Amino acid sequence: MSKISDYIKVGLLALLVTSCSFQNSEDKALYLNSEMAVEERVENLLQQMTLEEKVAQMCQFVGLEHMKQAEKNLSKEDMEKSDAQGFYPDLHSTDVEKMVEQGLIGSFLHVTDVKEANYLQSLAQKSRLKIPLLIGIDAIHGTALVQGATVYPTPIGLASTWDTTLVKKLSVETAKEMRATGAAWTFTPNLDVARDARWGRVGETFGEDPLLVSDMGVAMIEGLQNTDSDAYFNVIACAKHLIAGSESVNGLNGAPTDLSERTIREIYLPPYKAAVDAGVFSLMTAHNELNGVPCHADKWMMTDVMREELGFEGFIVSDWMDIERLATRHFVAEDQTEACYQTIDAGMDMHMHGPEFLQPVIDLVNEGRLTEERIDESVRRLLEAKFRLGLFENPMVDETVTETILFNAEHQATALEAAQKSIVLLKNEDELLPLNISKKLNVFITGPNANNESVLGDWSAQQASDKVSTILDGLHEIGTSCNYDYLDVGHNPRHVTKAHIKQANKRASKADLAIVVVGENSFRWEWDQKTCGENSGRSDIGLAGLQQDLVEAVYYSGTPTIVVLVNGRPLATEWIADNVPVIIEAWEPGSMGGKALAQILFGEVNPSAKLTISIPRSSGHLLSVYNHKPTHYFHKYVTSKSTPLYEFGYGLGYSDFNYQNLQLSKQSIGKKEKLLLKVEVTNIGKYDGDEVVQLYLNDKICSVTRPVKELKAYRRISLKAGETKQVSFEITPDMLVFLDKQLKPTIEEGVFKAMVGGSSRDKDLLSIPFTYVE
Ligand code: BGC
């Protein structure tokens, strides 16, 4: 008997069983009454569900169009290795449609068209209990996988704004664009703390600092979920990936992670605690194993830590096909049934994705290995999500409003502001920037990222060209007095040729100014070609292909040169930093990225972004984090400098800021007290601008080693040229807490140092000591 007929049989059986058990039709329909409390609706519905219908709620499938596309592109073997495309060799898309009608699927992902979302929901409405589908999508920086959506900068750029209000605002907008296209659940924020630039996914993280990752994650969750209301969600956010896949043994996605519990608790866990405290309603486990246990079977992390210790109340979803991989990759389970047992026993609530879950789990319950109560726990959480999203009342989307919401003027303005605040000026020698906007310059521009969609970053579909401002588009729009000589070297960093390089040198020498736009390529639509993004780990974090030669050829033409980097991970560009007068780290600035960059070049916008990840000098300098331990640089490398190329918190503007008069309200702090720290910041340049004022603390002597500094607070302020503002921070005892030798949170009496300034570099910080006395 084929698998599909098994499913259909299961569905018919479900119908028979339940139609006998609930007699009164009014009672049956109670869960459809929106006046009733969510808990009552959940219980009422749960009582009417068969085991099969319950387990079906835990099953997710890829969308029909995605399936059809993947069927064409992939062999069965390729699919087993893929994290981005999926189909079901034994199931036709029409079989999947039937399963929806029978209530045998609870969720979909990768549905990128509102018509398909509505169609699937209409099928679900034909099912016995009319339970709507939960449609999820990777709306990581806008719902960018959808054609026509607003694409905001990727999270590494968003974090570089240090502006949580802005991140919350664009998350509200993302939620609106999602709902307008039928999705109600996004697999974001990515709370992986990123300390290894070889990992391809750094661009979808907020960087290396646990506090900043926490704050950015919370801002996103609040904006997405609408945590201002207890009752309803805009959409559901998903904190991922549990845990520490960003520090796998060799920087490859999904490779094992081996880290001490101290590092897990000090670095990786705080953002999850913050997310749970903010009410995040879903979590996703990670591809990797942690200290010998695959994260999908890690009961300690899913149940003991997340649920019992941190109080997580939402649901946990697996990552893409990772339950299967307990058997096929990690070899901790003999077969899929055992894999399902291990993951559910550990705390899993939903399977991403496909048919290999429903029957094994039903079998496990029938055999008595899993209890139906355990299944009920998961189903309660999943139904609660659907009720709180209002999906029972409004499963369908009004397709006539979709167009008015996607990429509307308001969202474009936010995307532009985010791009302006996310682009980091790393070097500006001889004040080459800002360019005089009214001067007629002959500008030579080249590089693989000069005129392509690399600005969109990973987790984006290829968007229509009128919805993307490339770097060249931006220059044409803003720098209208200039003439541009554009040398097209193709859009792929690996395909720059020697002939391009020769041409570039020649043409650059005739110009007044040269701009070279290099970096990386995260194009999902050219999966095998990309150098960055999901599954694109690199052993060398220099410029790929012949890009370095291209930069050198332009530089040696003698024409003043600007290097713009468009990339999703820090790139080791020491030669460029030593030689080229201007370097801009644009990250992946989104739909409006080119315009924002040009506004910065021509001085319409004063750059204000600061790095949230240190930029290493080479691949050997990984883990050059700012919050390192005191002995980190005790001995130095013998053939190169030991410190990072650019430090965490660093970034230039067109004005300098002077810090003075650092004061504390008292010299010591007690258990229930606060200290007020004040500092004066003056804009000593000629341009109005924003500064990100950063507060770091250091514990001088402690029973365990402590970082040389840890970010504890920050504030983005605007100062007119010549203006001074006093900035104050509260220092509270919880900022002094650390994990003792038994990993218990504690504070020790003694001396601490507060440091305040415009970056984490010692030379940019003023410092003042204080003591903690119980
Ligand atoms: C990624 C997840 C993502 C999922 C669905 C996986 O390969 O690791 O972050 O949410 O695919 O697209």
Side-chain angles (χ1 to χ4, degrees), residues 82-84 109-110 137-138 140 145 187-188 190 201 204 240-241 253 284-285 287 319-320 322 325 352 459 524 534-535:
S82 172
D83 281 336
L109 83 161
H110 291 317
I137 193 161
D138 290 277
I140 310 290
L145 291 169
F187 311 124
T188 206
N190 183 328
R201 306 186 70 169
E204 59 177 287
K240 69 184 188 184
H241 310 79
N253 199 30
M284 187 187 291
T285 34
H287 294 314
D319 202 348
W320 181 279
D322 278 321
R325 290 174 187 152
M352 181 193 283
W459 298 107
R524 286 204 148 235
E534 193 185 15
N535 290 358

PDB file of all heavy atoms in Angstrom, residues 82-84 109-110 137-138 140 145 187-188 190 201 204 240-241 253 284-285 287 319-320 322 325 352 459 524 534-535, ligand 1:
ATOM      1  N   SER A  82      20.180  18.972   0.789  1.00  0.00           N
ATOM      2  CA  SER A  82      19.802  20.390   0.681  1.00  0.00           C
ATOM      3  C   SER A  82      19.117  20.901   1.946  1.00  0.00           C
ATOM      4  O   SER A  82      18.345  20.199   2.585  1.00  0.00           O
ATOM      5  CB  SER A  82      18.848  20.565  -0.497  1.00  0.00           C
ATOM      6  OG  SER A  82      18.338  21.873  -0.507  1.00  0.00           O
ATOM      7  N   ASP A  83      19.419  22.171   2.269  1.00  0.00           N
ATOM      8  CA  ASP A  83      18.710  22.837   3.368  1.00  0.00           C
ATOM      9  C   ASP A  83      17.760  23.888   2.831  1.00  0.00           C
ATOM     10  O   ASP A  83      17.192  24.653   3.595  1.00  0.00           O
ATOM     11  CB  ASP A  83      19.712  23.526   4.300  1.00  0.00           C
ATOM     12  CG  ASP A  83      20.365  22.541   5.239  1.00  0.00           C
ATOM     13  OD1 ASP A  83      19.772  21.493   5.503  1.00  0.00           O
ATOM     14  OD2 ASP A  83      21.483  22.829   5.704  1.00  0.00           O
ATOM     15  N   ALA A  84      17.635  23.964   1.528  1.00  0.00           N
ATOM     16  CA  ALA A  84      16.853  25.070   0.984  1.00  0.00           C
ATOM     17  C   ALA A  84      15.719  24.621   0.083  1.00  0.00           C
ATOM     18  O   ALA A  84      14.756  25.336  -0.116  1.00  0.00           O
ATOM     19  CB  ALA A  84      17.770  26.001   0.200  1.00  0.00           C
ATOM     20  N   LEU A 109       5.656  25.791   5.128  1.00  0.00           N
ATOM     21  CA  LEU A 109       6.675  26.827   5.004  1.00  0.00           C
ATOM     22  C   LEU A 109       6.996  27.020   3.535  1.00  0.00           C
ATOM     23  O   LEU A 109       6.652  26.174   2.710  1.00  0.00           O
ATOM     24  CB  LEU A 109       7.939  26.501   5.803  1.00  0.00           C
ATOM     25  CG  LEU A 109       9.016  25.589   5.224  1.00  0.00           C
ATOM     26  CD1 LEU A 109      10.315  25.802   5.969  1.00  0.00           C
ATOM     27  CD2 LEU A 109       8.628  24.149   5.291  1.00  0.00           C
ATOM     28  N   HIS A 110       7.685  28.139   3.270  1.00  0.00           N
ATOM     29  CA  HIS A 110       8.028  28.480   1.888  1.00  0.00           C
ATOM     30  C   HIS A 110       6.800  28.557   0.984  1.00  0.00           C
ATOM     31  O   HIS A 110       6.776  28.006  -0.110  1.00  0.00           O
ATOM     32  CB  HIS A 110       9.059  27.487   1.327  1.00  0.00           C
ATOM     33  CG  HIS A 110      10.405  27.617   1.975  1.00  0.00           C
ATOM     34  ND1 HIS A 110      10.976  28.840   2.244  1.00  0.00           N
ATOM     35  CD2 HIS A 110      11.289  26.708   2.423  1.00  0.00           C
ATOM     36  CE1 HIS A 110      12.138  28.653   2.817  1.00  0.00           C
ATOM     37  NE2 HIS A 110      12.357  27.380   2.951  1.00  0.00           N
ATOM     38  N   ILE A 137       7.469  31.486   7.334  1.00  0.00           N
ATOM     39  CA  ILE A 137       8.405  31.930   6.286  1.00  0.00           C
ATOM     40  C   ILE A 137       9.645  32.533   6.946  1.00  0.00           C
ATOM     41  O   ILE A 137       9.562  33.049   8.062  1.00  0.00           O
ATOM     42  CB  ILE A 137       7.716  32.952   5.347  1.00  0.00           C
ATOM     43  CG1 ILE A 137       8.551  33.159   4.092  1.00  0.00           C
ATOM     44  CG2 ILE A 137       7.444  34.279   6.033  1.00  0.00           C
ATOM     45  CD1 ILE A 137       7.789  33.756   2.922  1.00  0.00           C
ATOM     46  N   ASP A 138      10.764  32.463   6.244  1.00  0.00           N
ATOM     47  CA  ASP A 138      11.985  33.078   6.759  1.00  0.00           C
ATOM     48  C   ASP A 138      11.989  34.567   6.428  1.00  0.00           C
ATOM     49  O   ASP A 138      12.652  35.010   5.498  1.00  0.00           O
ATOM     50  CB  ASP A 138      13.215  32.404   6.144  1.00  0.00           C
ATOM     51  CG  ASP A 138      13.411  30.993   6.667  1.00  0.00           C
ATOM     52  OD1 ASP A 138      13.993  30.846   7.742  1.00  0.00           O
ATOM     53  OD2 ASP A 138      12.949  30.041   6.004  1.00  0.00           O
ATOM     54  N   ILE A 140      13.507  37.247   7.478  1.00  0.00           N
ATOM     55  CA  ILE A 140      14.654  37.526   8.357  1.00  0.00           C
ATOM     56  C   ILE A 140      14.953  39.023   8.412  1.00  0.00           C
ATOM     57  O   ILE A 140      15.348  39.560   9.432  1.00  0.00           O
ATOM     58  CB  ILE A 140      15.907  36.764   7.852  1.00  0.00           C
ATOM     59  CG1 ILE A 140      15.593  35.282   7.592  1.00  0.00           C
ATOM     60  CG2 ILE A 140      17.097  36.936   8.770  1.00  0.00           C
ATOM     61  CD1 ILE A 140      15.337  34.450   8.799  1.00  0.00           C
ATOM     62  N   LEU A 145      11.652  36.868   0.904  1.00  0.00           N
ATOM     63  CA  LEU A 145      11.511  35.752  -0.035  1.00  0.00           C
ATOM     64  C   LEU A 145      10.289  35.932  -0.938  1.00  0.00           C
ATOM     65  O   LEU A 145      10.100  35.195  -1.895  1.00  0.00           O
ATOM     66  CB  LEU A 145      11.422  34.417   0.725  1.00  0.00           C
ATOM     67  CG  LEU A 145      12.719  33.972   1.425  1.00  0.00           C
ATOM     68  CD1 LEU A 145      12.467  32.795   2.355  1.00  0.00           C
ATOM     69  CD2 LEU A 145      13.800  33.608   0.413  1.00  0.00           C
ATOM     70  N   PHE A 187      10.575  32.678  10.922  1.00  0.00           N
ATOM     71  CA  PHE A 187      11.691  31.989  11.575  1.00  0.00           C
ATOM     72  C   PHE A 187      12.804  32.993  11.855  1.00  0.00           C
ATOM     73  O   PHE A 187      13.902  32.930  11.319  1.00  0.00           O
ATOM     74  CB  PHE A 187      12.193  30.845  10.700  1.00  0.00           C
ATOM     75  CG  PHE A 187      11.096  29.945  10.207  1.00  0.00           C
ATOM     76  CD1 PHE A 187      10.903  29.710   8.859  1.00  0.00           C
ATOM     77  CD2 PHE A 187      10.228  29.339  11.105  1.00  0.00           C
ATOM     78  CE1 PHE A 187       9.877  28.905   8.401  1.00  0.00           C
ATOM     79  CE2 PHE A 187       9.194  28.531  10.668  1.00  0.00           C
ATOM     80  CZ  PHE A 187       9.013  28.307   9.316  1.00  0.00           C
ATOM     81  N   THR A 188      12.526  33.937  12.693  1.00  0.00           N
ATOM     82  CA  THR A 188      13.480  34.965  13.080  1.00  0.00           C
ATOM     83  C   THR A 188      13.064  35.483  14.446  1.00  0.00           C
ATOM     84  O   THR A 188      11.889  35.330  14.793  1.00  0.00           O
ATOM     85  CB  THR A 188      13.481  36.092  11.994  1.00  0.00           C
ATOM     86  OG1 THR A 188      14.728  36.749  11.999  1.00  0.00           O
ATOM     87  CG2 THR A 188      12.396  37.102  12.200  1.00  0.00           C
ATOM     88  N   ASN A 190      17.333  35.417  14.420  1.00  0.00           N
ATOM     89  CA  ASN A 190      18.466  34.522  14.586  1.00  0.00           C
ATOM     90  C   ASN A 190      19.303  35.076  15.738  1.00  0.00           C
ATOM     91  O   ASN A 190      19.890  36.147  15.623  1.00  0.00           O
ATOM     92  CB  ASN A 190      19.277  34.500  13.281  1.00  0.00           C
ATOM     93  CG  ASN A 190      20.441  33.533  13.370  1.00  0.00           C
ATOM     94  OD1 ASN A 190      21.004  33.334  14.445  1.00  0.00           O
ATOM     95  ND2 ASN A 190      20.821  32.954  12.261  1.00  0.00           N
ATOM     96  N   ARG A 201      26.627  32.276   7.861  1.00  0.00           N
ATOM     97  CA  ARG A 201      25.374  32.897   8.265  1.00  0.00           C
ATOM     98  C   ARG A 201      25.542  34.115   9.165  1.00  0.00           C
ATOM     99  O   ARG A 201      24.565  34.587   9.749  1.00  0.00           O
ATOM    100  CB  ARG A 201      24.474  31.856   8.945  1.00  0.00           C
ATOM    101  CG  ARG A 201      24.257  30.630   8.085  1.00  0.00           C
ATOM    102  CD  ARG A 201      23.258  29.655   8.666  1.00  0.00           C
ATOM    103  NE  ARG A 201      21.914  30.188   8.620  1.00  0.00           N
ATOM    104  CZ  ARG A 201      20.823  29.463   8.875  1.00  0.00           C
ATOM    105  NH1 ARG A 201      20.957  28.167   9.163  1.00  0.00           N
ATOM    106  NH2 ARG A 201      19.637  30.004   8.830  1.00  0.00           N
ATOM    107  N   GLU A 204      23.087  37.035   8.985  1.00  0.00           N
ATOM    108  CA  GLU A 204      21.727  36.982   9.549  1.00  0.00           C
ATOM    109  C   GLU A 204      21.735  37.017  11.075  1.00  0.00           C
ATOM    110  O   GLU A 204      20.736  36.721  11.718  1.00  0.00           O
ATOM    111  CB  GLU A 204      20.941  35.782   9.015  1.00  0.00           C
ATOM    112  CG  GLU A 204      21.554  34.457   9.281  1.00  0.00           C
ATOM    113  CD  GLU A 204      20.691  33.297   8.796  1.00  0.00           C
ATOM    114  OE1 GLU A 204      19.669  33.040   9.433  1.00  0.00           O
ATOM    115  OE2 GLU A 204      21.071  32.653   7.811  1.00  0.00           O
ATOM    116  N   LYS A 240      16.100  31.431  17.150  1.00  0.00           N
ATOM    117  CA  LYS A 240      16.818  30.273  16.645  1.00  0.00           C
ATOM    118  C   LYS A 240      18.312  30.581  16.605  1.00  0.00           C
ATOM    119  O   LYS A 240      18.676  31.751  16.620  1.00  0.00           O
ATOM    120  CB  LYS A 240      16.300  29.894  15.246  1.00  0.00           C
ATOM    121  CG  LYS A 240      16.658  30.896  14.152  1.00  0.00           C
ATOM    122  CD  LYS A 240      16.034  30.521  12.824  1.00  0.00           C
ATOM    123  CE  LYS A 240      16.543  31.403  11.718  1.00  0.00           C
ATOM    124  NZ  LYS A 240      15.903  31.157  10.434  1.00  0.00           N
ATOM    125  N   HIS A 241      19.192  29.619  16.492  1.00  0.00           N
ATOM    126  CA  HIS A 241      18.953  28.173  16.500  1.00  0.00           C
ATOM    127  C   HIS A 241      19.571  27.656  17.797  1.00  0.00           C
ATOM    128  O   HIS A 241      20.758  27.908  18.028  1.00  0.00           O
ATOM    129  CB  HIS A 241      19.630  27.472  15.341  1.00  0.00           C
ATOM    130  CG  HIS A 241      19.372  28.106  13.988  1.00  0.00           C
ATOM    131  ND1 HIS A 241      19.996  29.226  13.516  1.00  0.00           N
ATOM    132  CD2 HIS A 241      18.533  27.742  12.990  1.00  0.00           C
ATOM    133  CE1 HIS A 241      19.584  29.518  12.297  1.00  0.00           C
ATOM    134  NE2 HIS A 241      18.701  28.647  11.955  1.00  0.00           N
ATOM    135  N   ASN A 253      28.565  25.194   8.503  1.00  0.00           N
ATOM    136  CA  ASN A 253      27.200  25.107   9.024  1.00  0.00           C
ATOM    137  C   ASN A 253      26.856  23.655   9.338  1.00  0.00           C
ATOM    138  O   ASN A 253      27.045  22.775   8.502  1.00  0.00           O
ATOM    139  CB  ASN A 253      26.230  25.660   7.973  1.00  0.00           C
ATOM    140  CG  ASN A 253      24.895  26.040   8.568  1.00  0.00           C
ATOM    141  OD1 ASN A 253      24.824  26.423   9.735  1.00  0.00           O
ATOM    142  ND2 ASN A 253      23.857  25.959   7.775  1.00  0.00           N
ATOM    143  N   MET A 284      13.585  27.444  17.538  1.00  0.00           N
ATOM    144  CA  MET A 284      14.016  26.417  16.583  1.00  0.00           C
ATOM    145  C   MET A 284      15.349  25.841  17.060  1.00  0.00           C
ATOM    146  O   MET A 284      16.245  26.591  17.463  1.00  0.00           O
ATOM    147  CB  MET A 284      14.199  27.024  15.192  1.00  0.00           C
ATOM    148  CG  MET A 284      14.472  25.994  14.104  1.00  0.00           C
ATOM    149  SD  MET A 284      14.893  26.770  12.510  1.00  0.00           S
ATOM    150  CE  MET A 284      13.347  27.503  12.029  1.00  0.00           C
ATOM    151  N   THR A 285      15.437  24.530  16.985  1.00  0.00           N
ATOM    152  CA  THR A 285      16.692  23.885  17.370  1.00  0.00           C
ATOM    153  C   THR A 285      17.685  23.929  16.210  1.00  0.00           C
ATOM    154  O   THR A 285      17.317  24.212  15.077  1.00  0.00           O
ATOM    155  CB  THR A 285      16.426  22.429  17.801  1.00  0.00           C
ATOM    156  OG1 THR A 285      15.366  21.937  16.998  1.00  0.00           O
ATOM    157  CG2 THR A 285      16.034  22.337  19.242  1.00  0.00           C
ATOM    158  N   HIS A 287      21.032  22.721  13.639  1.00  0.00           N
ATOM    159  CA  HIS A 287      21.523  21.572  12.877  1.00  0.00           C
ATOM    160  C   HIS A 287      22.593  20.781  13.644  1.00  0.00           C
ATOM    161  O   HIS A 287      22.729  19.583  13.486  1.00  0.00           O
ATOM    162  CB  HIS A 287      22.231  22.033  11.601  1.00  0.00           C
ATOM    163  CG  HIS A 287      21.367  22.700  10.571  1.00  0.00           C
ATOM    164  ND1 HIS A 287      20.144  22.222  10.171  1.00  0.00           N
ATOM    165  CD2 HIS A 287      21.595  23.793   9.793  1.00  0.00           C
ATOM    166  CE1 HIS A 287      19.661  23.010   9.206  1.00  0.00           C
ATOM    167  NE2 HIS A 287      20.521  23.956   8.976  1.00  0.00           N
ATOM    168  N   ASP A 319      14.679  22.155  12.965  1.00  0.00           N
ATOM    169  CA  ASP A 319      15.174  22.788  11.749  1.00  0.00           C
ATOM    170  C   ASP A 319      14.994  21.788  10.609  1.00  0.00           C
ATOM    171  O   ASP A 319      14.685  20.611  10.806  1.00  0.00           O
ATOM    172  CB  ASP A 319      16.628  23.247  11.902  1.00  0.00           C
ATOM    173  CG  ASP A 319      16.982  24.350  10.899  1.00  0.00           C
ATOM    174  OD1 ASP A 319      16.194  24.571   9.965  1.00  0.00           O
ATOM    175  OD2 ASP A 319      18.045  24.976  11.035  1.00  0.00           O
ATOM    176  N   TRP A 320      15.217  22.289   9.427  1.00  0.00           N
ATOM    177  CA  TRP A 320      14.945  21.604   8.151  1.00  0.00           C
ATOM    178  C   TRP A 320      15.485  20.168   8.133  1.00  0.00           C
ATOM    179  O   TRP A 320      16.703  19.968   8.082  1.00  0.00           O
ATOM    180  CB  TRP A 320      15.583  22.452   7.069  1.00  0.00           C
ATOM    181  CG  TRP A 320      15.451  22.032   5.671  1.00  0.00           C
ATOM    182  CD1 TRP A 320      16.203  21.095   5.042  1.00  0.00           C
ATOM    183  CD2 TRP A 320      14.547  22.557   4.701  1.00  0.00           C
ATOM    184  NE1 TRP A 320      15.828  21.008   3.736  1.00  0.00           N
ATOM    185  CE2 TRP A 320      14.819  21.895   3.477  1.00  0.00           C
ATOM    186  CE3 TRP A 320      13.537  23.528   4.717  1.00  0.00           C
ATOM    187  CZ2 TRP A 320      14.120  22.174   2.304  1.00  0.00           C
ATOM    188  CZ3 TRP A 320      12.853  23.795   3.547  1.00  0.00           C
ATOM    189  CH2 TRP A 320      13.138  23.118   2.358  1.00  0.00           C
ATOM    190  N   ASP A 322      16.049  17.991  10.193  1.00  0.00           N
ATOM    191  CA  ASP A 322      17.053  17.582  11.178  1.00  0.00           C
ATOM    192  C   ASP A 322      16.604  16.440  12.079  1.00  0.00           C
ATOM    193  O   ASP A 322      17.446  15.809  12.728  1.00  0.00           O
ATOM    194  CB  ASP A 322      17.493  18.776  12.029  1.00  0.00           C
ATOM    195  CG  ASP A 322      18.544  19.604  11.309  1.00  0.00           C
ATOM    196  OD1 ASP A 322      19.406  19.001  10.664  1.00  0.00           O
ATOM    197  OD2 ASP A 322      18.488  20.847  11.392  1.00  0.00           O
ATOM    198  N   ARG A 325      17.858  13.571  10.329  1.00  0.00           N
ATOM    199  CA  ARG A 325      19.321  13.463  10.393  1.00  0.00           C
ATOM    200  C   ARG A 325      19.837  12.866  11.696  1.00  0.00           C
ATOM    201  O   ARG A 325      21.022  12.551  11.796  1.00  0.00           O
ATOM    202  CB  ARG A 325      19.948  14.835  10.131  1.00  0.00           C
ATOM    203  CG  ARG A 325      19.764  15.257   8.681  1.00  0.00           C
ATOM    204  CD  ARG A 325      20.247  16.650   8.421  1.00  0.00           C
ATOM    205  NE  ARG A 325      19.890  17.065   7.067  1.00  0.00           N
ATOM    206  CZ  ARG A 325      19.672  18.310   6.697  1.00  0.00           C
ATOM    207  NH1 ARG A 325      19.755  19.280   7.567  1.00  0.00           N
ATOM    208  NH2 ARG A 325      19.358  18.591   5.452  1.00  0.00           N
ATOM    209  N   MET A 352       9.837  20.020  10.963  1.00  0.00           N
ATOM    210  CA  MET A 352      10.073  20.699   9.678  1.00  0.00           C
ATOM    211  C   MET A 352      10.872  19.711   8.828  1.00  0.00           C
ATOM    212  O   MET A 352      12.053  19.553   9.098  1.00  0.00           O
ATOM    213  CB  MET A 352      10.867  21.989   9.891  1.00  0.00           C
ATOM    214  CG  MET A 352      11.136  22.749   8.609  1.00  0.00           C
ATOM    215  SD  MET A 352      12.379  24.064   8.813  1.00  0.00           S
ATOM    216  CE  MET A 352      11.464  25.344   9.625  1.00  0.00           C
ATOM    217  N   TRP A 459      18.418  35.175   2.279  1.00  0.00           N
ATOM    218  CA  TRP A 459      16.983  35.047   2.599  1.00  0.00           C
ATOM    219  C   TRP A 459      16.143  36.046   1.823  1.00  0.00           C
ATOM    220  O   TRP A 459      15.153  36.576   2.316  1.00  0.00           O
ATOM    221  CB  TRP A 459      16.728  35.168   4.110  1.00  0.00           C
ATOM    222  CG  TRP A 459      17.403  34.075   4.847  1.00  0.00           C
ATOM    223  CD1 TRP A 459      18.513  34.187   5.617  1.00  0.00           C
ATOM    224  CD2 TRP A 459      17.049  32.679   4.873  1.00  0.00           C
ATOM    225  NE1 TRP A 459      18.886  32.957   6.104  1.00  0.00           N
ATOM    226  CE2 TRP A 459      17.998  32.016   5.666  1.00  0.00           C
ATOM    227  CE3 TRP A 459      16.021  31.936   4.278  1.00  0.00           C
ATOM    228  CZ2 TRP A 459      17.962  30.644   5.884  1.00  0.00           C
ATOM    229  CZ3 TRP A 459      15.981  30.563   4.508  1.00  0.00           C
ATOM    230  CH2 TRP A 459      16.936  29.944   5.316  1.00  0.00           C
ATOM    231  N   ARG A 524      20.468  33.418  -3.238  1.00  0.00           N
ATOM    232  CA  ARG A 524      19.842  32.093  -3.060  1.00  0.00           C
ATOM    233  C   ARG A 524      19.494  31.475  -4.411  1.00  0.00           C
ATOM    234  O   ARG A 524      19.450  30.272  -4.547  1.00  0.00           O
ATOM    235  CB  ARG A 524      18.523  32.207  -2.286  1.00  0.00           C
ATOM    236  CG  ARG A 524      18.701  32.475  -0.862  1.00  0.00           C
ATOM    237  CD  ARG A 524      17.644  32.084   0.057  1.00  0.00           C
ATOM    238  NE  ARG A 524      18.408  31.774   1.244  1.00  0.00           N
ATOM    239  CZ  ARG A 524      18.394  30.663   1.910  1.00  0.00           C
ATOM    240  NH1 ARG A 524      17.572  29.715   1.581  1.00  0.00           N
ATOM    241  NH2 ARG A 524      19.169  30.471   2.948  1.00  0.00           N
ATOM    242  N   GLU A 534      23.605  31.006   3.917  1.00  0.00           N
ATOM    243  CA  GLU A 534      23.410  29.665   4.482  1.00  0.00           C
ATOM    244  C   GLU A 534      24.266  28.624   3.749  1.00  0.00           C
ATOM    245  O   GLU A 534      24.313  28.598   2.523  1.00  0.00           O
ATOM    246  CB  GLU A 534      21.934  29.293   4.373  1.00  0.00           C
ATOM    247  CG  GLU A 534      21.609  28.082   5.217  1.00  0.00           C
ATOM    248  CD  GLU A 534      20.178  27.608   5.047  1.00  0.00           C
ATOM    249  OE1 GLU A 534      19.512  28.015   4.085  1.00  0.00           O
ATOM    250  OE2 GLU A 534      19.757  26.803   5.888  1.00  0.00           O
ATOM    251  N   ASN A 535      24.904  27.799   4.498  1.00  0.00           N
ATOM    252  CA  ASN A 535      25.759  26.713   3.985  1.00  0.00           C
ATOM    253  C   ASN A 535      26.944  27.194   3.152  1.00  0.00           C
ATOM    254  O   ASN A 535      27.545  26.400   2.439  1.00  0.00           O
ATOM    255  CB  ASN A 535      24.952  25.693   3.160  1.00  0.00           C
ATOM    256  CG  ASN A 535      24.039  24.879   4.047  1.00  0.00           C
ATOM    257  OD1 ASN A 535      24.044  25.053   5.254  1.00  0.00           O
ATOM    258  ND2 ASN A 535      23.263  24.004   3.468  1.00  0.00           N
TER     259      ASN A 535
HETATM  260  C1  BGC B   1      17.673  27.009   8.305  1.00  0.00           C
HETATM  261  C2  BGC B   1      16.647  27.710   9.157  1.00  0.00           C
HETATM  262  C3  BGC B   1      15.441  28.082   8.334  1.00  0.00           C
HETATM  263  C4  BGC B   1      14.882  26.834   7.687  1.00  0.00           C
HETATM  264  C5  BGC B   1      13.664  27.097   6.843  1.00  0.00           C
HETATM  265  C6  BGC B   1      17.040  25.855   7.549  1.00  0.00           C
HETATM  266  O1  BGC B   1      17.944  25.296   6.669  1.00  0.00           O
HETATM  267  O2  BGC B   1      18.722  26.545   9.120  1.00  0.00           O
HETATM  268  O3  BGC B   1      17.211  28.832   9.762  1.00  0.00           O
HETATM  269  O4  BGC B   1      14.496  28.715   9.126  1.00  0.00           O
HETATM  270  O5  BGC B   1      15.889  26.261   6.868  1.00  0.00           O
HETATM  271  O6  BGC B   1      13.968  27.804   5.707  1.00  0.00           O
END
